[in-house]
Amino acid sequence: MGHPAARGALLLAAAGTVLAAGQPVPAVAAAHGPARPGDPRGDEPDTPQGAKIPLHGSGGGPAGPAKPGAGGELPATTRAAIINRAKKWVAARVPYSNTEYWPDGYRQDCSGLVSMAWNLPGNEWTGSLGTFGVRVSRDQLQPGDMLLFHNAADPQNGSHVVLFGGWSDYTHTYYLAYEQTRPHTRGQSTPYAYWSNSDRYVPYRYKGLAEETSGAGVSVTGAASSRYPGRYPGRSFFGPGADNPHVTRLGEQLVKKGFGTYYTSGPGPRWGEADRRGVEAFQRAQGWRGGAADGCPGPETWRRLFS
């Protein structure tokens, strides 16, 4: 199938061709479009994507033909489950590779991450991911949806996919994108729809999406969401280099609790010294000292801050 190459930011996806028998045929690698100014991944090496293929087995080869859910339907999942699966790869810092597979059977590239997050029965690519979703508008986007650009006319030019994690600001200009890129999985605040080829991305919602149970919520929605506080998102979302809605929500809560005096402007998605000092001040107010007051929120700091 396609072996695209992406130079740039978030989840890269590529193109390819599949035989009727379901066996992949190697294709020319597709390259991501040029990075826009401000793209933090603009100097990344190429990140090619693998082919449509079944889940990878523990024996070193395919696990067998992809199997749909009961009754031939796609496996059902929820928004919370989609995001939590993506966050597991972020926390594990899954290395990028278009030829290697994580223990869960999914290929360690961009389309593999989306296949994993949607709990698909096999590894897909940008040319097939759209068949598992229904198109939605920008205004309808919610955590767990994907933004897909598959350049069917010229697969070698820019095909790519990202997982939507929620809006980062109230203007809906930036959102949290989960990506699989070199060197490893991460979540990052990203301009809508993407750094390059922005007008060519199409939002999709997974066809097998089930209704959330009462109170389940999605813990990674944008900073403006009242459902956000939820559970602790994980230490990997904070500290130097962090840029995501969790940082914004943390700062907003520090301000509410009276520990926002270090901000010279409103809290934002990019981690800074004001965030660290505010968290440290809150931790010391709990009577903590030494390593317990390191300025980076852990589960107990998060629980007390949002209680």
Side-chain angles (χ1 to χ4, degrees), residues 215-235:
V218 179
S219 61
V220 296
T221 52
S225 173
S226 61
R227 300 172 65 190
Y228 177 86
R231 69 191 69 163
Y232 176 60
R235 195 176 182 89

Side-chain angles (χ1 to χ4, degrees), residues 237-293:
F237 286 91
F238 306 102
D243 187 349
N244 59 76
H246 299 293
V247 178
T248 303
R249 188 68 181 101
L250 171 72
E252 291 175 344
Q253 195 68 5
L254 287 170
V255 171
K256 281 186 178 181
K257 294 285 188 176
F259 296 89
T261 57
Y262 301 102
Y263 293 106
T264 56
S265 59
R270 188 179 297 277
W271 178 271
E273 181 63 11
D275 300 295
R276 188 198 67 77
R277 295 180 67 184
V279 171
E280 181 183 7
F282 176 79
Q283 291 169 333
R284 289 186 175 277
Q286 312 308 304
W288 303 341
R289 296 294 182 269

Side-chain angles (χ1 to χ4, degrees), residues 48-274:
Q49 172 195 236
K52 176 181 174 70
I53 193 171
L55 295 183
H56 197 69
S58 58
K67 297 179 180 179
E73 299 178 354
L74 288 174
T77 190
T78 63
R79 295 189 183 282
I82 291 172
I83 295 301
N84 286 335
R85 279 193 289 269
K87 288 167 64 178
K88 285 182 179 179
W89 271 32
V90 172
R93 298 165 70 89
V94 175
Y96 186 95
S97 175
N98 70 314
T99 59
E100 297 182 3
Y101 298 79
W102 202 237
D104 55 18
Y106 291 97
R107 190 177 54 245
Q108 295 167 208
D109 59 14
C110 58
S111 52
L113 183 146
V114 174
S115 298
M116 177 276 300
W118 277 13
N119 198 31
L120 298 182
N123 286 287
E124 301 298 329
W125 63 295
T126 51
S128 60
L129 278 170
T131 63
F132 294 88
V134 293
R135 294 183 62 164
V136 295
S137 68
R138 171 177 175 162
D139 293 340
Q140 294 172 321
L141 272 169
Q142 295 185 51
D145 297 339
M146 74 171 176
L147 292 166
L148 175 69
F149 166 36
H150 177 64
N151 190 356
D154 184 6
Q156 299 181 43
N157 185 20
S159 297
H160 187 64
V161 63
V162 303
L163 187 68
F164 182 83
W167 296 108
S168 298
D169 61 357
Y170 72 94
T171 63
H172 290 188
T173 303
Y174 279 76
Y175 68 99
L176 171 61
Y178 287 96
E179 62 171 329
Q180 181 65 8
T181 187
R182 303 181 195 272
H184 51 70
T185 322
R186 73 177 191 177
Q188 176 175 284
S189 186
T190 302
Y192 186 87
Y194 194 65
W195 301 96
S196 57
N197 296 309
S198 181
D199 60 341
R200 306 186 70 177
Y201 281 76
V202 179
Y204 284 89
R205 179 161 300 154
Y206 178 51
K207 289 180 180 178
L209 194 66
E211 292 295 329
E212 302 284 352
T213 57
S214 179
V218 179
S219 61
V220 296
T221 52
S225 173
S226 61
R227 300 172 65 190
Y228 177 86
R231 69 191 69 163
Y232 176 60
R235 195 176 182 89
S236 62
F237 286 91
F238 306 102
D243 187 349
N244 59 76
H246 299 293
V247 178
T248 303
R249 188 68 181 101
L250 171 72
E252 291 175 344
Q253 195 68 5
L254 287 170
V255 171
K256 281 186 178 181
K257 294 285 188 176
F259 296 89
T261 57
Y262 301 102
Y263 293 106
T264 56
S265 59
R270 188 179 297 277
W271 178 271
E273 181 63 11

